[in-house]
Structure formats: C-alpha cells, structure tokens
C-alpha cells in the first residue's frame, strides 16, 4: 500500500515538470516568443523563470542573426544589381561605343572592390577567435604605417601630431586595423576643413584621432559601434557600416578601450586607451 501511495505522490509531485517539459517541446523558431506560464509551486516557478530567461536570450540571438542576414543581403544586393546592369549595357553597346565600355568596366571594378571589401570585413567580424601575437613596440611605428597606407588620401590634409610617442604591448596587426578604420572615417567624413589631429598621451597611454568633419548626433553615439549602423544613411559617402564594429570588437579582444566624443558640425574624437 505504501508503495502505491508513494507512486501517486511522486507522480503528482512531478506533474508540473512534465507540463513544463511539454510546453518547452512546443517552442521552436516559429513561436520563439512564447513563454512558460507562472507556476503554483514556488520551486517550479523559479525553474520556469530560469527557462524563460534562457528563452529571452535565445530569442534575442535569433533577432540579431535575422537582422544580420537581412543587412548583409541588402549590402550585397546593390553592387550586384549595379554589376548586372553594366554587363547588360556592355552586351548592348560596349562593342560600338568605347566610352560606354570604359564607364561600364570602371563601375564593375568599383562594385567588385566594394564586394571584396565587404566580404573581408564580414569574415573579420564573424571570427569567433583571433590569433593574437602580442609584441612590444612604439606606437609611432604603427602611425608611420598608417601614414604610408593613406599617403594618397592624406595629400590634401593637414595632419598634426601632438605629444610624445610611447610603447605598447599588443598586436601590431590588429592595432593597425583599428587605426585604419578610425582614419578612414576621419578622411571620409571631413568637411572643407581637411585637418586631422593626433594626440599622444604617454602618461595615460592614450591616442586620440580628431577630425573637423560633420560630427555625430549625441543620441546616435551609443549606436555607432553596432554592425551596419550608419549615423546618417542619407549621406553620399560609401560604406558598409561595419568599420567601427570591427574596430570595437578588435579593441575589446586586445583589452583596449575605445571611446568617442562628437559634436555636430565640429567633428569627432576617437580615443584608444591601452
């Protein structure tokens, strides 16, 4: 008799677990927003809340993934449409009109470079692990590489360097990528005052890159490190909206703090703290 009573007591006690299990099994990608209802028992209610919290994180991950796929598709569609259009133009008029041929080939080349750059940035951004080779070097060495890389873009700019250089222990390769992104933005969004100011602070191990460009609205600053985010999508400058998210991810990986200050019409200051 005691065994029978124990059986029914155990069955009754485990009934909420069975019910929760059945509810979880019904949740999939199509109804990921559903949650387990509040439970009568305090212990099982705690379990339900823990599971709901996990479902919240899974749902958020799904949303991020779907948004990422949507953004990538959008970024790919425009240059591919352009390439397809110019190929049709070449087929129709290319042989008889050299000007049309040159224009089409230039545009195809430009769109191809855009796609290649996008793919390279996506590969870098979606890496789960980075092979980091740290070394001690003077930050002026990386700046010299940056100046050499942008020598054509900077020919019309006045570049001023303040302060004294200092040594850091980090990845020279990834620091170059971070600074490259910051310089690309400083060049791209500069106004008529083509000036970039670099400030080195050896006492606090900081480097700041200041431009006198269009600036970023205060309420948009919190979003600028997000993937595909563009502070002003209507502007004519080309870009994927991936550069700063790559810089942020690499900076976090290297334990470098990246921060920004900006004022509309006066420019922006990006600072790296080692």
């Amino acid at each position: 008799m005691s065994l029978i009573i124990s059986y029914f007591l155990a069955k009754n006690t485990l009934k909420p677990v069975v019910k929760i299990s059945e509810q979880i099994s019904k949740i999939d990608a199509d109804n990921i927003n559903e949650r387990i209802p509040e439970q009568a028992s305090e212990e099982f209610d705690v379990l339900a809340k823990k599971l709901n919290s996990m479902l919240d994180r899974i749902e958020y991950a799904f949303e991020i993934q779907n948004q990422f796929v949507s953004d990538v598709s959008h970024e790919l569609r425009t240059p591919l449409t352009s390439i397809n259009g110019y190929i049709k133009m070449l087929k129709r008029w290319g042989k008889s009109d050299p000007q049309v041929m040159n224009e089409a080939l230039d545009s195809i080349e430009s769109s191809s470079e855009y796609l290649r750059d996008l793919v390279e940035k996506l590969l870098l951004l979606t890496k789960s692990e980075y092979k980091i080779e740290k070394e001690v070097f003077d930050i002026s060495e990386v700046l010299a590489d940056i100046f050499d890389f942008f020598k054509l873009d900077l020919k019309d700019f006045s570049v001023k360097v303040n302060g004294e250089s200092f040594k850091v222990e980090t990845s020279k390769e990834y620091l170059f990528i971070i600074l490259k992104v910051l310089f690309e933005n400083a060049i791209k969004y500069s106004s008529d005052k083509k000036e970039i100011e670099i400030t080195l602070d050896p006492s606090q191990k900081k480097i700041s890159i200041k431009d006198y460009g269009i600036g970023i609205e205060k309420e948009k600053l919190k979003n600028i490190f997000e993937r595909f985010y563009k502070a002003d999508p209507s502007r004519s400058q080309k870009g994927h909206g991936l550069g700063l998210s790559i810089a942020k991810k690499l900076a976090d990986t290297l334990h470098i703090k990246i921060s920004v200050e900006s004022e509309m019409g006066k420019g922006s200051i990006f600072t790296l703290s080692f």
Side-chain angles (χ1 to χ4, degrees), residues 30 62 83 108 111 138 144 149 177 181 184 206 269:
D30 295 325
F62 264 99
I83 289 171
I108 289 171
S111 294
D138 200 291
F149 183 86
I177 294 172
V181 168
E184 280 176 348
K206 289 183 179 181
I269 305 173

Side-chain angles (χ1 to χ4, degrees), residues 3-263:
L3 286 174
I4 296 173
I5 293 172
S6 298
Y7 169 77
F8 281 105
L9 282 173
K11 187 177 180 182
N12 190 57
T13 302
L14 292 173
K15 193 179 289 183
V17 176
V18 175
K19 191 175 181 181
I20 290 173
S21 178
E22 289 173 350
Q23 289 167 333
I24 290 175
S25 65
K26 292 176 183 177
I27 299 174
D28 56 25
D30 295 325
N31 61 344
I32 192 68
N33 60 328
E34 290 194 13
R35 295 294 180 267
I36 300 164
E38 188 177 336
Q39 303 295 305
S41 165
E42 184 179 345
E43 291 81 3
F44 288 116
D45 192 49
V46 170
L47 174 62
K49 286 178 179 176
K50 293 281 187 183
L51 290 170
N52 284 337
S53 177
M54 181 183 69
L55 288 169
D56 287 341
R57 294 194 296 273
I58 293 172
E59 183 181 8
Y60 178 72
F62 264 99
E63 289 174 358
I64 294 295
Q65 177 180 295
N66 289 336
Q67 185 62 49
F68 182 72
V69 171
S70 174
D71 289 337
V72 171
S73 300
H74 174 75
E75 289 292 327
L76 290 172
R77 190 179 298 115
T78 302
L80 287 174
T81 301
S82 175
I83 289 171
N84 188 48
Y86 279 108
I87 287 173
K88 289 178 180 177
M89 185 188 293
L90 278 174
K91 285 182 176 179
R92 188 167 182 179
W93 296 294
K95 291 181 181 179
S96 59
D97 192 332
Q99 185 176 346
V100 169
M101 178 181 285
N102 290 332
E103 180 186 339
L105 290 175
D106 286 344
S107 295
I108 289 171
E109 182 182 24
S110 176
S111 294
S112 299
E113 288 175 355
Y114 179 92
L115 285 171
R116 183 188 62 187
D117 184 54
L118 174 61
V119 170
E120 287 176 354
K121 285 181 175 176
L122 286 171
L123 289 172
L124 187 60
L125 192 58
T126 53
K127 267 188 178 181
S128 58
E129 292 183 6
Y130 294 92
K131 185 181 179 182
I132 300 173
E133 295 181 2
K134 288 189 175 183
E135 56 182 302
V136 178
F137 57 91
D138 200 291
I139 202 163
S140 61
E141 296 174 25
V142 183
L143 283 176
D145 292 337
I146 288 289
F147 294 151
D148 184 60
F149 183 86
F150 287 107
K151 59 185 174 184
L152 293 178
D153 301 279
L154 291 172
K155 64 180 181 180
D156 297 324
F157 278 77
S158 169
V159 180
K160 185 178 180 182
V161 181
N162 303 314
E164 295 182 5
S165 187
F166 54 89
K167 291 186 181 295
V168 293
E169 183 177 3
T170 188
S171 165
K172 186 182 284 190
E173 176 189 0
Y174 291 141
L175 179 58
F176 175 85
I177 294 172
I178 294 169
L179 288 172
K180 178 173 170 284
V181 168
L182 300 183
F183 268 81
E184 280 176 348
N185 280 6
I187 293 167
K188 188 189 301 181
Y189 297 109
S190 283
S191 57
D192 294 335
K193 188 178 181 181
K194 295 188 178 298
E195 187 175 327
I196 296 174
E197 192 172 328
I198 301 161
T199 302
L200 299 166
D201 185 346
S203 63
Q204 298 190 52
K205 287 203 168 185
K206 289 183 179 181
I207 176 172
S208 298
I209 295 93
K210 179 179 181 179
D211 66 67
Y212 294 87
I214 57 178
I216 306 165
E217 293 176 40
K218 190 175 181 179
E219 60 270 20
K220 294 182 178 179
L221 283 174
K222 64 180 183 295
N223 300 317
I224 61 169
F225 294 112
E226 294 177 7
R227 295 175 181 178
F228 294 105
Y229 184 79
K230 297 177 183 179
D232 188 351
S234 66
R235 294 191 183 273
S236 59
Q237 286 90 348
K238 287 186 177 181
H240 316 295
L242 289 174
L244 287 175
S245 58
I246 290 172
K248 180 69 165 65
K249 186 173 183 180
L250 288 176
D252 289 346
T253 302
L254 297 174
H255 304 293
I256 298 171
K257 182 184 177 183
I258 181 169
S259 57
V260 58
E261 302 170 55
S262 190
E263 190 175 345

